[in-house]
Amino acid sequence: MEAILPVFIAILLAETGGRTQARGHDLQLRFNAAKAILAALGLTTLASLLIAGIGGAIVAGMISFDARSLLAGLALVLAGVPMVRPARPPREVNANSAFGAGLKGFAPLQFGDASQFIVFAMAARTGQIAFAVGAGVAATMIAVSLPVIMGRNWPGGFPLALSRRIAAVLLITSGCWMIVAALRLI
């Protein structure tokens, strides 16, 4: 249970205004098929985060708790730093169906992204693979569901760029705090 809330909040912040949200919004505008887009997102997210969780569990037995805490802090910092700048728009995806375009579009964004590193690090830190993966999938689905469901109204009056920068500051600050605590400087 120790992994659920930190992973959920960290990934929700890391996905704010990012390329995965932009991809979901772009696909919804193009295909208008929210269920197929979210199904593709769920499949790619589950695959990506399951690999991360298993990798984290393997690493958990190899390093000390302080090293695992340092890894988790580093994951948060590395998730927040790129968020200071505006997100690059995702590349165009060619496919005949919303599900196929979703698979082709979300897979490159899911493997090797900040969310995967956060789940890896938190699964390593806590040893709770299922909770870390479940919280990560839930947070990603919620973050991307908003632009998909809202369609043309996204982001509306919501200050997405400002929210992205605030999320970056929160992630970087939390990560630095974990790093300092892991190094026992406080």
Side-chain angles (χ1 to χ4, degrees):
M1 296 282 285
E2 183 184 336
I4 292 176
L5 193 57
V7 170
F8 184 81
I9 292 171
I11 291 180
L12 204 53
L13 290 172
E15 294 292 343
T16 302
R19 292 189 302 162
T20 309
Q21 273 189 338
R23 170 75 69 211
H25 185 245
D26 177 55
L27 291 173
Q28 177 63 9
L29 293 179
R30 199 162 120 206
F31 292 104
N32 194 22
K35 290 180 183 176
I37 294 165
L38 294 176
L41 172 70
L43 187 63
T44 57
T45 302
L46 181 62
S48 165
L49 299 185
L50 193 56
I51 291 168
I54 292 169
I58 292 169
V59 168
M62 297 179 180
I63 58 177
S64 70
F65 181 76
D66 287 335
R68 293 183 305 215
S69 294
L70 184 66
L71 182 66
L74 185 61
L76 295 178
V77 169
L78 291 177
V81 168
M83 294 177 67
V84 176
R85 296 187 331 259
R88 294 178 294 144
R91 294 181 182 157
E92 195 66 32
V93 176
N94 295 323
N96 295 331
S97 70
F99 184 74
L103 289 177
K104 285 173 68 175
F106 288 126
L109 299 177
Q110 295 291 332
F111 288 89
D113 76 333
S115 298
Q116 192 178 32
F117 190 27
I118 290 169
V119 168
F120 170 79
M122 291 305 283
R125 184 172 188 268
T126 63
Q128 300 173 343
I129 304 168
F131 291 130
V133 171
V137 170
T140 302
M141 293 300 293
I142 289 170
V144 179
S145 292
L146 291 173
V148 170
I149 292 169
M150 291 181 72
R152 297 206 183 284
N153 296 327
W154 175 259
F158 184 71
L160 194 57
L162 177 63
S163 298
R164 184 171 170 80
R165 288 189 181 93
I166 291 170
V169 169
L170 291 172
L171 286 168
I172 293 168
T173 304
S174 301
C176 287
W177 183 263
M178 286 184 79
I179 289 169
V180 168
L183 295 174
R184 301 187 187 274
L185 298 175
I186 55 172

